[in-house]
Each structure stands twice: as C-alpha cells, then as structure tokens.
Amino acid sequence: MILSYDASTAATGRPPAAPRTADLLAHVLRDLALSYEAECPGGFARFRQALSVESLAVIARFCGSAPNDEAALALARQVHETLLDVEEDVWALHTTGH
C-alpha cells in the first residue's frame, strides 16, 4: 500500500497534471538527460534505475497528482515509461554522435 497523507493538505496542493503536461515533462526530461549525459556518461540511466514505479507512485500520491493508490500507480507507470523512452532517445543520440 502507498503511504497515506493528509487529505486537507492534498486538497490545497497541485491539481492533477493535464495531458499536455506529460509532453512537457518528456521534453524537459530529455533536456535534463542530455545535460546529465554530457557531464557523466551513463548517469541518466543510473538516475532512472533509482526511481522505481513504487517510489514514483508515492511521490504522485504525496504531491496530490493522484486521488487514490490506483491512479498513483497508473501515473507512476506512465512516468516510468517516459523515463525509459528518454533513456532510449539519449542512448540513440549518444551512439550516433560517436
């Protein structure tokens, strides 16, 4: 089970992310990943591996992006897939650059 939080605090928190936010998140993550890789090759992969679906779900639940555990897990899976896609894009750019 995902850790619970104070519902009154969550109610005043951020509203759920809009679908366009996912595109922006992917874009920002790609930029972050490219910067990270430039400084530390393989660093983004290590960063991504450190974020489990469960930890992403706890973050989604805590910050109020998901109204319940099931929604938090679904959102966490989407973010995890985005991180995997970003890692693949970075790897492709890295290998074509060499």
Side-chain angles (χ1 to χ4, degrees):
M1 182 171 151
I2 297 173
L3 298 176
S4 61
Y5 64 100
D6 179 19
S8 62
T9 302
T12 60
R14 294 183 212 156
R20 295 171 68 192
T21 304
D23 293 335
L24 177 61
L25 175 63
H27 179 76
V28 169
L29 284 171
R30 280 185 181 84
D31 286 350
L32 173 67
L34 289 171
S35 302
Y36 206 170
E37 286 295 314
E39 296 295 321
C40 178
F44 187 77
R46 289 189 294 275
F47 167 74
R48 196 240 350 123
Q49 291 168 355
L51 290 172
S52 68
V53 172
E54 293 78 14
S55 63
L56 291 168
V58 169
I59 293 167
R61 192 74 163 108
F62 180 74
C63 74
S65 295
N68 56 46
D69 291 352
E70 293 78 23
L73 284 171
L75 181 59
R77 286 185 190 103
Q78 287 178 334
V79 171
H80 196 260
E81 287 297 319
T82 300
L83 288 170
L84 287 171
D85 292 344
V86 168
E87 185 179 343
E88 289 173 8
D89 290 350
V90 169
W91 180 251
L93 287 171
H94 181 71
T95 56
T96 59
H98 291 295

XYZ file of all heavy atoms in Angstrom:
735
model
N 0.832 -1.183 0.000
C 0.000 0.000 0.000
C 0.872 1.240 0.000
O 1.918 1.287 0.616
C -0.906 0.009 1.225
C -1.837 1.178 1.257
S -3.020 0.973 2.586
C -3.306 2.666 2.939
N 0.425 2.253 -0.691
C 1.145 3.514 -0.763
C 0.872 4.297 0.511
O -0.238 4.283 1.032
C 0.705 4.305 -2.008
C 1.069 3.496 -3.255
C 1.327 5.678 -2.040
C 0.550 4.097 -4.523
N 1.878 4.993 0.983
C 1.728 5.779 2.199
C 0.586 6.769 2.066
O 0.353 7.351 1.019
C 3.017 6.543 2.483
C 4.255 5.685 2.722
C 5.465 6.584 2.877
C 4.075 4.824 3.941
N -0.137 6.961 3.140
C -1.244 7.918 3.111
C -0.714 9.309 3.446
O 0.403 9.472 3.893
C -2.332 7.503 4.087
O -1.809 7.484 5.393
N -1.551 10.278 3.240
C -1.160 11.658 3.508
C -2.370 12.412 4.013
O -3.485 11.920 3.980
C -0.591 12.306 2.242
C -1.617 12.423 1.136
C -2.269 13.621 0.901
C -1.959 11.319 0.367
C -3.230 13.712 -0.086
C -2.913 11.399 -0.614
C -3.543 12.604 -0.845
O -4.493 12.696 -1.815
N -2.155 13.600 4.473
C -3.232 14.433 4.998
C -4.074 14.951 3.831
O -3.593 15.707 2.988
C -2.629 15.597 5.780
C -3.675 16.532 6.345
O -4.848 16.116 6.463
O -3.314 17.671 6.671
N -5.355 14.550 3.777
C -6.229 14.907 2.662
C -6.443 16.411 2.561
O -6.570 16.957 1.467
C -7.569 14.192 2.790
N -6.476 17.117 3.690
C -6.682 18.571 3.622
C -5.484 19.254 2.984
O -5.630 20.227 2.250
C -6.956 19.138 5.013
O -5.841 18.927 5.861
N -4.296 18.736 3.242
C -3.103 19.298 2.611
C -3.109 19.006 1.120
O -2.804 19.876 0.309
C -1.829 18.708 3.249
O -1.849 18.993 4.638
C -0.586 19.288 2.624
N -3.474 17.796 0.755
C -3.505 17.423 -0.655
C -4.554 18.212 -1.417
O -4.366 18.543 -2.580
C -3.777 15.937 -0.796
N -5.669 18.534 -0.774
C -6.735 19.277 -1.433
C -6.270 20.673 -1.832
O -6.743 21.233 -2.816
C -7.958 19.357 -0.537
N -5.354 21.242 -1.083
C -4.845 22.569 -1.407
C -3.594 22.504 -2.260
O -3.041 23.530 -2.619
C -4.526 23.357 -0.120
O -3.539 22.649 0.623
C -5.767 23.569 0.713
N -3.152 21.298 -2.583
C -1.950 21.117 -3.394
C -2.222 21.327 -4.863
O -3.221 21.908 -5.275
N -1.311 20.819 -5.683
C -1.423 20.975 -7.123
C -2.574 20.160 -7.694
O -2.841 19.058 -7.235
C -0.137 20.494 -7.785
C 1.046 21.327 -7.456
C 2.230 20.815 -8.217
N 3.397 21.055 -7.407
C 4.520 20.393 -7.492
N 4.639 19.423 -8.341
N 5.524 20.688 -6.731
N -3.206 20.666 -8.747
C -4.246 19.878 -9.411
C -3.593 18.768 -10.238
O -2.396 18.832 -10.518
C -4.942 20.892 -10.315
C -3.917 21.945 -10.560
C -3.069 21.997 -9.307
N -4.342 17.744 -10.623
C -3.771 16.673 -11.456
C -3.188 17.243 -12.745
O -3.677 18.235 -13.285
C -4.974 15.769 -11.749
C -5.945 16.069 -10.676
C -5.728 17.507 -10.289
N -2.149 16.606 -13.225
C -1.467 17.071 -14.425
C -2.349 16.895 -15.663
O -3.017 15.879 -15.818
C -0.160 16.304 -14.606
N -2.344 17.885 -16.522
C -3.079 17.803 -17.778
C -2.297 16.950 -18.771
O -1.075 16.801 -18.634
C -3.269 19.208 -18.337
N -2.957 16.370 -19.770
C -2.244 15.538 -20.752
C -1.087 16.267 -21.423
O -0.057 15.662 -21.707
C -3.330 15.174 -21.764
C -4.605 15.295 -21.028
C -4.390 16.381 -20.004
N -1.228 17.566 -21.683
C -0.140 18.304 -22.316
C 1.072 18.402 -21.397
O 2.191 18.589 -21.860
C -0.628 19.684 -22.726
C -1.702 19.594 -23.808
C -2.362 20.897 -24.088
N -1.442 21.823 -24.709
C -1.692 23.115 -24.848
N -2.809 23.631 -24.407
N -0.817 23.900 -25.425
N 0.846 18.285 -20.106
C 1.944 18.323 -19.152
C 2.882 17.148 -19.365
O 4.096 17.273 -19.196
C 1.402 18.327 -17.716
O 0.505 19.421 -17.568
C 2.510 18.451 -16.701
N 2.347 15.994 -19.751
C 3.182 14.818 -19.994
C 4.169 15.080 -21.128
O 5.337 14.683 -21.054
C 2.319 13.612 -20.308
N 3.725 15.784 -22.184
C 4.623 16.118 -23.288
C 5.721 17.065 -22.828
O 6.887 16.906 -23.189
C 3.845 16.760 -24.435
C 2.885 15.792 -25.091
O 3.112 14.563 -25.021
O 1.895 16.269 -25.680
N 5.336 18.049 -22.027
C 6.319 18.987 -21.496
C 7.314 18.265 -20.590
O 8.525 18.494 -20.665
C 5.624 20.116 -20.726
C 6.544 21.140 -20.059
C 7.408 21.847 -21.105
C 5.730 22.148 -19.276
N 6.801 17.364 -19.750
C 7.670 16.581 -18.868
C 8.681 15.778 -19.677
O 9.873 15.767 -19.364
C 6.836 15.655 -17.993
C 7.615 14.688 -17.108
C 8.456 15.442 -16.085
C 6.676 13.723 -16.423
N 8.215 15.124 -20.737
C 9.120 14.334 -21.572
C 10.194 15.217 -22.194
O 11.376 14.850 -22.237
C 8.335 13.598 -22.651
N 9.805 16.402 -22.663
C 10.760 17.325 -23.269
C 11.810 17.784 -22.251
O 13.010 17.780 -22.529
C 10.012 18.527 -23.845
C 10.904 19.553 -24.461
N 11.496 19.378 -25.692
C 11.320 20.759 -24.005
C 12.247 20.435 -25.965
N 12.155 21.282 -24.954
N 11.337 18.168 -21.070
C 12.259 18.614 -20.018
C 13.180 17.482 -19.594
O 14.387 17.680 -19.402
C 11.466 19.176 -18.812
C 12.363 19.405 -17.612
C 10.755 20.458 -19.201
N 12.640 16.275 -19.471
C 13.473 15.128 -19.088
C 14.537 14.836 -20.143
O 15.672 14.490 -19.801
C 12.605 13.891 -18.860
C 11.829 13.864 -17.561
C 10.848 12.702 -17.554
C 12.763 13.787 -16.367
N 14.188 14.971 -21.414
C 15.179 14.756 -22.469
C 16.314 15.768 -22.358
O 17.486 15.429 -22.470
C 14.527 14.815 -23.845
C 13.837 13.535 -24.212
C 13.289 13.546 -25.635
N 12.611 12.298 -25.910
C 11.347 12.031 -25.597
N 10.613 12.949 -24.997
N 10.819 10.867 -25.872
N 15.954 17.045 -22.143
C 16.983 18.076 -21.983
C 17.853 17.793 -20.763
O 19.075 17.915 -20.809
C 16.348 19.463 -21.865
C 15.819 19.985 -23.188
O 16.105 19.367 -24.235
O 15.109 21.001 -23.174
N 17.209 17.420 -19.672
C 17.939 17.076 -18.455
C 18.859 15.890 -18.700
O 20.033 15.901 -18.307
C 16.959 16.753 -17.327
C 17.564 16.223 -16.031
C 18.394 17.296 -15.348
C 16.481 15.710 -15.106
N 18.333 14.875 -19.368
C 19.119 13.672 -19.624
C 20.327 13.982 -20.498
O 21.433 13.501 -20.237
C 18.243 12.605 -20.281
N 20.136 14.781 -21.524
C 21.259 15.131 -22.399
C 22.326 15.908 -21.638
O 23.522 15.672 -21.815
C 20.761 15.921 -23.606
C 19.969 15.110 -24.621
C 19.343 16.026 -25.663
C 20.848 14.062 -25.281
N 21.898 16.825 -20.773
C 22.853 17.578 -19.964
C 23.600 16.648 -19.014
O 24.814 16.745 -18.843
C 22.143 18.647 -19.138
O 21.437 19.505 -19.954
N 22.839 15.767 -18.395
C 23.411 14.824 -17.437
C 24.416 13.913 -18.132
O 25.516 13.675 -17.634
C 22.272 14.004 -16.840
C 22.513 13.436 -15.458
C 21.465 12.854 -14.768
C 23.748 13.473 -14.851
C 21.648 12.318 -13.506
C 23.942 12.943 -13.594
C 22.894 12.360 -12.928
O 23.075 11.830 -11.685
N 24.047 13.412 -19.303
C 24.929 12.513 -20.045
C 26.202 13.220 -20.506
O 27.260 12.607 -20.569
C 24.190 11.927 -21.247
C 23.178 10.879 -20.890
C 23.793 9.622 -20.287
O 24.790 9.110 -20.829
O 23.268 9.164 -19.271
N 26.093 14.499 -20.839
C 27.270 15.252 -21.264
C 28.288 15.350 -20.133
O 29.497 15.299 -20.357
C 26.862 16.644 -21.736
N 27.785 15.473 -18.907
C 28.664 15.588 -17.746
C 29.126 14.233 -17.215
O 30.243 14.092 -16.730
C 27.952 16.346 -16.615
C 27.616 17.773 -16.945
C 28.863 18.622 -17.145
O 29.845 18.437 -16.403
O 28.839 19.473 -18.051
N 28.247 13.254 -17.291
C 28.519 11.948 -16.686
C 27.881 10.851 -17.539
O 26.717 10.515 -17.338
C 27.948 11.916 -15.273
S 28.153 10.350 -14.421
N 28.623 10.315 -18.529
C 28.040 9.275 -19.383
C 27.470 8.115 -18.562
O 28.106 7.626 -17.637
C 29.215 8.816 -20.242
C 30.131 10.006 -20.265
C 29.983 10.640 -18.906
N 26.237 7.745 -18.872
C 25.568 6.680 -18.134
C 24.854 7.162 -16.896
O 24.166 6.393 -16.224
N 24.973 8.450 -16.598
C 24.374 8.997 -15.389
C 22.857 8.990 -15.404
O 22.227 8.720 -14.383
N 22.256 9.265 -16.560
C 20.801 9.285 -16.602
C 20.235 7.882 -16.409
O 19.215 7.709 -15.756
C 20.279 9.890 -17.904
C 18.790 10.081 -17.892
C 18.227 11.136 -17.206
C 17.949 9.177 -18.513
C 16.858 11.313 -17.153
C 16.571 9.340 -18.471
C 16.025 10.414 -17.795
N 20.911 6.889 -16.943
C 20.451 5.506 -16.750
C 20.464 5.148 -15.269
O 19.528 4.532 -14.762
C 21.323 4.539 -17.542
N 21.511 5.543 -14.564
C 21.574 5.275 -13.120
C 20.479 6.032 -12.379
O 19.855 5.498 -11.457
C 22.957 5.632 -12.581
C 24.033 4.659 -13.030
C 25.352 4.886 -12.311
N 25.960 6.165 -12.631
C 26.742 6.398 -13.685
N 27.002 5.427 -14.529
N 27.263 7.575 -13.889
N 20.219 7.269 -12.796
C 19.147 8.067 -12.196
C 17.804 7.374 -12.409
O 17.017 7.219 -11.485
C 19.150 9.463 -12.826
C 17.927 10.284 -12.531
C 17.739 10.847 -11.283
C 16.971 10.503 -13.514
C 16.615 11.617 -11.013
C 15.849 11.268 -13.257
C 15.668 11.825 -12.005
N 17.535 6.928 -13.625
C 16.273 6.277 -13.945
C 16.111 4.971 -13.180
O 15.050 4.654 -12.667
C 16.163 6.017 -15.450
C 14.752 5.721 -15.878
C 14.468 4.412 -16.529
N 15.519 3.557 -16.929
C 15.635 2.300 -16.497
N 14.794 1.793 -15.635
N 16.602 1.543 -16.927
N 17.162 4.215 -13.055
C 17.105 2.943 -12.345
C 16.833 3.128 -10.856
O 16.261 2.256 -10.209
C 18.397 2.156 -12.561
C 18.545 1.664 -13.981
C 19.945 1.143 -14.279
O 20.844 1.238 -13.449
N 20.127 0.629 -15.474
N 17.216 4.261 -10.327
C 16.997 4.530 -8.901
C 15.538 4.857 -8.593
O 15.117 4.783 -7.438
C 17.892 5.675 -8.445
N 14.757 5.206 -9.619
C 13.347 5.558 -9.418
C 12.461 4.368 -9.767
O 12.189 4.115 -10.934
C 12.963 6.754 -10.297
C 13.563 8.083 -9.906
C 13.257 9.125 -10.971
C 13.057 8.536 -8.562
N 12.013 3.669 -8.777
C 11.106 2.547 -9.019
C 9.696 3.068 -9.257
O 9.371 4.215 -8.920
C 11.100 1.595 -7.821
O 10.508 2.237 -6.704
N 8.854 2.229 -9.840
C 7.452 2.598 -10.042
C 6.805 2.919 -8.700
O 6.041 3.883 -8.570
C 6.692 1.470 -10.780
C 5.196 1.750 -10.821
C 7.237 1.303 -12.190
N 7.136 2.135 -7.693
C 6.548 2.349 -6.370
C 6.940 3.698 -5.778
O 6.110 4.393 -5.196
C 6.951 1.215 -5.413
C 6.363 -0.130 -5.766
C 7.073 -0.840 -6.918
O 8.206 -0.423 -7.293
O 6.497 -1.786 -7.462
N 8.215 4.074 -5.939
C 8.631 5.369 -5.396
C 7.985 6.519 -6.166
O 7.605 7.531 -5.572
C 10.155 5.502 -5.394
O 10.678 5.472 -6.699
N 7.825 6.360 -7.475
C 7.131 7.380 -8.255
C 5.663 7.479 -7.833
O 5.092 8.573 -7.802
C 7.235 7.072 -9.748
C 8.630 7.233 -10.366
C 8.662 6.633 -11.764
C 9.043 8.693 -10.389
N 5.052 6.350 -7.501
C 3.658 6.346 -7.047
C 3.521 7.074 -5.712
O 2.560 7.828 -5.497
C 3.133 4.922 -6.936
N 4.466 6.869 -4.825
C 4.438 7.576 -3.539
C 4.555 9.079 -3.772
O 3.827 9.867 -3.168
C 5.566 7.067 -2.607
C 5.711 7.967 -1.391
C 5.293 5.638 -2.183
N 5.427 9.482 -4.683
C 5.582 10.906 -4.992
C 4.278 11.456 -5.568
O 3.814 12.527 -5.160
C 6.759 11.125 -5.978
C 8.080 10.774 -5.292
C 6.765 12.557 -6.503
C 9.259 10.651 -6.232
N 3.668 10.714 -6.502
C 2.406 11.170 -7.107
C 1.307 11.301 -6.059
O 0.537 12.252 -6.064
C 1.973 10.198 -8.209
N 1.255 10.365 -5.160
C 0.214 10.371 -4.110
C 0.459 11.507 -3.121
O -0.451 12.220 -2.731
C 0.219 9.014 -3.401
C -0.945 8.769 -2.518
C -2.202 8.469 -3.345
N -3.192 7.858 -2.494
C -4.286 8.484 -2.096
N -4.556 9.685 -2.515
N -5.134 7.884 -1.302
N 1.712 11.687 -2.733
C 2.060 12.695 -1.736
C 1.835 14.113 -2.254
O 1.346 14.968 -1.533
C 3.513 12.526 -1.297
C 3.946 13.519 -0.268
C 3.513 13.415 1.047
C 4.784 14.569 -0.603
C 3.901 14.331 2.001
C 5.175 15.495 0.348
C 4.739 15.380 1.642
N 2.195 14.357 -3.524
C 2.070 15.722 -4.049
C 0.661 16.032 -4.528
O 0.384 17.159 -4.934
C 3.091 15.974 -5.144
S 2.721 15.174 -6.697
N -0.249 15.054 -4.470
C -1.637 15.309 -4.832
C -1.944 15.155 -6.300
O -3.013 15.526 -6.754
N -1.018 14.592 -7.079
C -1.249 14.402 -8.506
C -2.193 13.246 -8.789
O -2.687 13.123 -9.904
C 0.075 14.144 -9.227
O 0.888 15.280 -9.140
N -2.424 12.401 -7.802
C -3.315 11.248 -7.978
C -4.256 11.161 -6.783
O -3.807 11.249 -5.640
C -2.498 9.970 -8.107
N -5.549 10.970 -7.049
C -6.528 10.959 -5.953
C -6.561 9.666 -5.135
O -7.072 9.656 -4.029
C -7.864 11.159 -6.677
C -7.633 10.616 -8.044
C -6.196 10.897 -8.345
N -6.002 8.570 -5.670
C -6.006 7.306 -4.940
C -4.796 6.469 -5.346
O -4.038 6.843 -6.253
C -7.317 6.536 -5.175
C -7.583 6.291 -6.643
O -6.699 5.888 -7.385
N -8.813 6.541 -7.067
N -4.613 5.330 -4.672
C -3.448 4.485 -4.921
C -3.400 3.955 -6.350
O -2.332 3.917 -6.964
C -3.430 3.296 -3.948
C -3.149 3.725 -2.513
O -2.813 4.905 -2.297
O -3.261 2.869 -1.618
N -4.559 3.571 -6.888
C -4.589 3.020 -8.240
C -4.182 4.071 -9.273
O -3.424 3.791 -10.199
C -5.982 2.467 -8.569
C -6.373 1.257 -7.756
C -6.836 1.601 -6.339
O -7.269 2.757 -6.099
O -6.749 0.725 -5.473
N -4.691 5.286 -9.108
C -4.332 6.373 -10.019
C -2.853 6.728 -9.885
O -2.183 7.022 -10.877
C -5.201 7.598 -9.750
N -2.353 6.672 -8.656
C -0.931 6.958 -8.435
C -0.056 5.932 -9.137
O 0.948 6.284 -9.756
C -0.632 6.989 -6.938
N -0.426 4.667 -9.052
C 0.346 3.625 -9.732
C 0.268 3.772 -11.249
O 1.272 3.594 -11.948
C -0.128 2.235 -9.305
C 0.341 1.794 -7.924
C -0.359 0.509 -7.499
C 1.853 1.602 -7.911
N -0.902 4.115 -11.767
C -1.042 4.311 -13.213
C -0.169 5.474 -13.681
O 0.535 5.378 -14.692
C -2.501 4.548 -13.572
N -0.198 6.576 -12.941
C 0.625 7.733 -13.281
C 2.104 7.384 -13.168
O 2.904 7.760 -14.026
C 0.272 8.913 -12.373
C 1.029 10.214 -12.614
C 0.810 10.711 -14.034
C 0.590 11.265 -11.610
N 2.462 6.647 -12.136
C 3.858 6.247 -11.947
C 4.343 5.381 -13.100
O 5.473 5.537 -13.574
C 4.010 5.498 -10.625
N 3.492 4.480 -13.573
C 3.872 3.639 -14.718
C 4.091 4.485 -15.970
O 5.015 4.234 -16.741
C 2.814 2.574 -14.962
C 2.837 1.472 -13.935
C 1.840 0.357 -14.262
N 1.711 -0.555 -13.148
C 0.691 -0.568 -12.296
N -0.325 0.255 -12.451
N 0.668 -1.416 -11.294
N 3.242 5.495 -16.161
C 3.404 6.382 -17.318
C 4.716 7.155 -17.232
O 5.445 7.274 -18.226
C 2.239 7.368 -17.402
C 0.952 6.742 -17.842
C -0.178 7.754 -17.859
O -0.150 8.755 -17.132
N -1.183 7.501 -18.674
N 5.011 7.682 -16.061
C 6.263 8.424 -15.882
C 7.452 7.495 -16.071
O 8.444 7.858 -16.722
C 6.304 9.117 -14.499
C 7.681 9.694 -14.219
C 5.240 10.186 -14.408
N 7.372 6.282 -15.550
C 8.460 5.322 -15.693
C 8.688 4.989 -17.169
O 9.835 4.918 -17.630
C 8.141 4.053 -14.894
C 9.320 3.190 -14.676
N 9.567 2.071 -15.429
C 10.345 3.274 -13.789
C 10.686 1.505 -15.029
N 11.174 2.213 -14.027
N 7.600 4.804 -17.919
C 7.712 4.547 -19.363
C 8.345 5.743 -20.074
O 9.172 5.568 -20.978
C 6.341 4.239 -19.966
C 5.815 2.874 -19.606
C 6.687 1.740 -20.141
O 7.164 1.832 -21.290
O 6.893 0.770 -19.394
N 7.970 6.948 -19.656
C 8.559 8.151 -20.245
C 10.050 8.198 -19.976
O 10.843 8.517 -20.865
C 7.875 9.421 -19.694
O 6.490 9.382 -20.023
C 8.492 10.685 -20.261
N 10.444 7.856 -18.757
C 11.870 7.823 -18.418
C 12.609 6.799 -19.265
O 13.729 7.060 -19.725
C 12.055 7.515 -16.930
C 11.678 8.631 -15.967
C 11.682 8.113 -14.534
C 12.607 9.817 -16.104
N 11.999 5.641 -19.497
C 12.619 4.633 -20.358
C 12.765 5.149 -21.788
O 13.808 4.944 -22.431
C 11.801 3.341 -20.344
C 11.867 2.502 -19.073
C 10.837 1.376 -19.137
C 13.266 1.945 -18.873
N 11.725 5.806 -22.288
C 11.782 6.377 -23.642
C 12.876 7.425 -23.749
O 13.621 7.466 -24.737
C 10.438 7.004 -24.029
C 9.337 5.979 -24.211
O 9.643 4.770 -24.351
O 8.152 6.387 -24.207
N 12.973 8.267 -22.729
C 14.011 9.294 -22.718
C 15.388 8.647 -22.709
O 16.284 9.061 -23.448
C 13.836 10.242 -21.511
C 15.057 11.126 -21.317
C 12.585 11.084 -21.680
N 15.557 7.618 -21.898
C 16.850 6.930 -21.840
C 17.211 6.337 -23.205
O 18.352 6.439 -23.649
C 16.799 5.834 -20.774
C 18.136 5.159 -20.571
C 18.095 4.093 -19.493
O 17.149 4.081 -18.682
O 19.014 3.265 -19.479
N 16.223 5.757 -23.884
C 16.477 5.204 -25.219
C 16.855 6.310 -26.205
O 17.759 6.135 -27.027
C 15.252 4.449 -25.714
C 15.018 3.147 -24.987
C 13.701 2.486 -25.383
O 13.045 2.962 -26.337
O 13.332 1.496 -24.735
N 16.162 7.441 -26.147
C 16.478 8.567 -27.026
C 17.887 9.076 -26.779
O 18.636 9.367 -27.719
C 15.483 9.715 -26.820
C 14.096 9.400 -27.326
O 13.916 8.365 -28.014
O 13.170 10.186 -27.013
N 18.246 9.201 -25.508
C 19.585 9.679 -25.157
C 20.637 8.697 -25.652
O 21.662 9.091 -26.215
C 19.706 9.905 -23.635
C 21.150 10.129 -23.216
C 18.845 11.078 -23.216
N 20.383 7.409 -25.474
C 21.333 6.395 -25.935
C 21.487 6.473 -27.448
O 22.597 6.395 -27.974
C 20.886 5.001 -25.502
C 21.825 3.934 -25.955
C 21.611 3.011 -26.913
C 23.163 3.704 -25.484
N 22.718 2.211 -27.065
C 23.682 2.619 -26.206
C 23.963 4.333 -24.537
C 24.964 2.138 -26.008
C 25.245 3.832 -24.326
C 25.726 2.755 -25.054
N 20.374 6.636 -28.167
C 20.431 6.738 -29.632
C 21.238 7.972 -30.060
O 22.072 7.884 -30.971
C 19.028 6.791 -30.205
N 20.994 9.093 -29.402
C 21.760 10.312 -29.727
C 23.237 10.127 -29.391
O 24.116 10.594 -30.114
C 21.186 11.503 -28.984
C 19.848 12.028 -29.487
C 19.281 13.064 -28.537
C 19.996 12.612 -30.883
N 23.496 9.474 -28.286
C 24.880 9.252 -27.858
C 25.635 8.366 -28.859
O 26.759 8.640 -29.206
C 24.882 8.619 -26.465
C 26.253 8.380 -25.926
N 27.081 9.394 -25.524
C 26.946 7.229 -25.735
C 28.223 8.886 -25.097
N 28.161 7.574 -25.218
N 24.969 7.302 -29.318
C 25.643 6.375 -30.235
C 25.797 6.958 -31.630
O 26.782 6.664 -32.313
C 24.904 5.030 -30.310
O 23.556 5.254 -30.694
C 24.957 4.302 -28.988
N 24.860 7.811 -32.073
C 25.015 8.440 -33.387
C 26.059 9.541 -33.363
O 26.635 9.869 -34.386
C 23.679 9.008 -33.922
O 23.181 9.972 -32.990
C 22.660 7.912 -34.137
N 26.312 10.087 -32.191
C 27.310 11.138 -32.053
C 28.737 10.635 -32.054
O 29.684 11.395 -32.180
N 28.909 9.331 -31.924
C 30.267 8.774 -31.853
C 30.580 7.947 -33.055
O 29.934 7.360 -33.729
C 30.443 7.919 -30.600
C 30.429 8.736 -29.347
N 31.389 9.667 -29.052
C 29.547 8.797 -28.327
C 31.108 10.233 -27.902
N 29.994 9.730 -27.435
